[in-house]
Amino acid sequence: MAERETLEVDVLIVGAGPGGLSAALRLAQMQQAKGGEPLSIAVIEKGREAGIHQLSGALLDPSTLHDLIPDFAARGAPLGTPVDNDNIYFLTETGKLRLPITPPPFQNHGNHIISLSSFTKWLAAQVEAEGIDLFWGFPGQHVLYEDAAAPGVERRRVIGVRTGDRGIGKDGKPKGAFEPGADIHAKVTIFADGVRGHLTKQLYSQLEIGIASEPAQFAIGIKELWDIPKDRLKPGTVIHTLGYPLREEEFGGSWLYAMADGHVSIGFVVGLDYKDPLFDPHAAFQHFKRHPFISSILADGQLVRYGAKALPEGGWASQPSLFVDGALIVGDAANFVNSMRLKGIHLAMRSGMLAGETAFDAIRAGDSSSAALKAYKTRVDASPIKTELYPVRNVHQAFGAGLMAGGAYAGIAMLTRGAGLPDLAGHFGHREMKTIADYYGLAKRDILVASNAAPIDRKLTFDKVTGAHYSGTHHDENQPVHLLVQTDVCHSVCGPEYGHPCVRFCPANVYEMVDNGAGGLRLQINASNCVHCKTCDIMDPYGVITWVAPEGGEGPSYDGM
Ligand SMILES: Cc1cc2nc3c(=O)[nH]c(=O)nc-3n(C[C@H](O)[C@H](O)[C@H](O)COP(=O)(O)OP(=O)(O)OC[C@H]3O[C@@H](n4cnc5c(N)ncnc54)[C@H](O)[C@@H]3O)c2cc1C
């Protein structure tokens, strides 16, 4: 049996998204500026190559990029298309009302329509050019701690990460060439594992990093890339919509960003705190595309790529403890997204930079205790992250009371920059879902049809299986299922109470109820369809689904997304 390797580095970064890569680059810059013994830095990423697991809108606010890489233009940053015009509409079932003014959060002059996947690829190249090792296809599987029982150790201290094993079959036994994951020990570990990062989630349960903050809030974003006739939309056109097909009780909206050559990014965001157990976010997206305004834009066009990903929406109030002994948390893993602006890339980059600076100072001082790493929180509090997020700290929470109440709260927050507004208590979104009996007032059982089911024509609207195909996702079937489900709960109570909502909230048909051959149903997990969106880990009403990383290098292929 192969031996497990142990590697020692100064800084380990988990996740090569904008947050993790910015941390790595800042560390290299600090090294150049301050000299001394070179730091050893490693970045591990579950995707098999740079950018392949990145999905975003994406409108880039370039403010952090200016500070991190001032000569980004000379270095060929793929900044896509500058925003030319902003439009915001309220949709009814067949009509549209253009808002006469664009509210400040929706003003995008100076921003760029980018592919986050391409941008991340470029950022990774900048990091590699600094001689930093990036390990593609290496998922972190477990957080490693110093033994709290050891003499002189009072609290559990993060000492690194164990990466996933390779070569285990679905029966849990080695298949072919078995390669155990490595233990990577680091003086400072930076968790940049994105929304609902599964290692950051371990910190929530093992170190209680969320105990002093509001519950995290999430939304699911479903995105498609389309090619449409080139003269249909002026490149740089930005359209956001509110309203149809969502109801007052659901939070969300859409985007449509026109790039050069007829490429269009179109997507729909739904808060993962909806009440209707039979609601299906993917079906809502199909209805949205069938709206006359949107279908006229997509007419004669072609779907190029599909994907989905959750995003954190709880904002400033939901940030966890950002530092613990031996570790820091950045970007989406720390819930740094401005949900009013639907923007988090520049915040992930900024928090990555600040974490990089803090880690560098801590290592030079020979102290990576939480007392030393607290400097990261001080830096965040003095940075544009707080300036941007604090005024809108409770906006998503306010929308819990409906579109009108949320809109009013958001309006006041903009006028007062958040001053004088009460802090609202957040809620765990999955607990907002009502049982079928509570929501419909009758005990319907075994209903698997979405309350908002949409017609599928495979031209404009697509089913989830086709969507998964267009995401390019791939997983070897012969490996342990990476979605850990307590199926006893699923069969005994979830079916009768909620009608198996996983079938509906998953955007890739991973969860399917099939005939069990005895007159009933059984859950079939199509793990190979998974697009790593994390929605199931977030939205299951009993919280009995845990997403863990599959074998390294597997998952979606988000080229161009
Ligand atoms: C639908 C949607 C639309 C959005 N639109 C916009 C927009 O228009 N503008 C904007 O600014 N922001 C937007 N955002 C938010 C923005 O994309 C995120 O805030 C940003 O990508 C966060 O960067 P990050 O580095 O923290 O996380 P990510 O970009 O998610 O990167 C995390 C990385 O960690 C890797 N990873 C995860 N777990 C592990 C593990 N265990 N081991 C190794 N690697 C791991 C992942 O594969 C991934 O590459 C949008 C988000 C969504 C979902």
Side-chain angles (χ1 to χ4, degrees), residues 69-113:
I69 311 177
D71 59 343
F72 62 85
R75 294 202 205 183
L79 288 195
T81 314
V83 173
D84 177 80
N85 59 89
D86 276 306
N87 310 267
I88 175 159
Y89 292 90
F90 184 85
L91 300 186
T92 61
E93 190 166 350
T94 52
K96 66 178 196 299
L97 180 72
R98 182 165 180 194
L99 268 56
I101 52 159
T102 305
F106 291 95
Q107 289 171 7
N108 284 295
H109 182 73
N111 295 335
H112 295 255
I113 303 173

Side-chain angles (χ1 to χ4, degrees), residues 101-304:
I101 52 159
T102 305
F106 291 95
Q107 289 171 7
N108 284 295
H109 182 73
N111 295 335
H112 295 255
I113 303 173
I114 62 161
S115 147
L116 183 60
S117 176
S118 308
F119 181 74
T120 305
K121 224 172 252 191
W122 172 81
L123 205 51
Q126 310 310 303
V127 172
E128 273 172 333
E130 298 296 338
I132 292 177
D133 291 325
L134 292 156
F135 297 94
W136 307 113
F138 278 84
Q141 202 58 283
H142 302 286
V143 179
L144 298 173
Y145 299 95
E146 191 172 18
D147 180 4
V153 179
E154 288 168 19
R155 288 190 292 166
R156 297 193 93 193
R157 175 195 162 78
V158 174
I159 56 164
V161 158
R162 175 168 293 174
T163 63
D165 296 337
R166 288 170 196 272
I168 301 272
K170 63 180 170 194
D171 55 2
K173 295 186 185 140
K175 58 170 186 192
F178 170 64
E179 214 185 292
D183 284 352
I184 309 182
H185 289 175
K187 294 179 182 125
V188 179
T189 303
I190 300 178
F191 291 93
D193 48 347
V195 62
R196 191 71 156 196
H198 94 276
L199 294 188
T200 301
K201 192 178 164 191
Q202 291 176 15
L203 299 181
Y204 270 90
S205 65
Q206 292 161 352
L207 298 183
E208 298 190 321
I209 59 171
I211 203 148
S213 55
E214 290 296 331
Q217 318 269 298
F218 299 97
I220 175 174
I222 304 176
K223 169 171 174 175
E224 288 179 354
L225 273 185
W226 278 68
D227 274 349
I228 59 170
K230 286 186 187 152
D231 55 357
R232 179 86 33 92
L233 278 181
K234 186 173 181 201
T237 298
V238 165
I239 297 173
H240 287 109
T241 74
L242 297 167
Y244 182 83
L246 297 184
R247 301 167 286 189
E248 166 80 10
E249 68 184 49
E250 287 134 11
F251 176 83
S254 81
W255 80 81
L256 208 144
Y257 305 148
M259 294 169 276
D261 299 323
H263 302 315
V264 171
S265 158
I266 176 167
F268 203 80
V269 173
V270 178
L272 287 174
D273 48 7
Y274 56 81
K275 298 179 173 55
D276 179 354
L278 300 181
F279 178 79
D280 183 330
H282 174 271
F285 181 43
Q286 308 312 311
H287 282 292
F288 164 71
K289 287 188 289 175
R290 298 181 79 239
H291 187 281
F293 175 45
I294 305 303
S295 59
S296 67
I297 293 174
L298 298 180
D300 308 317
Q302 255 199 327
L303 174 65
V304 176

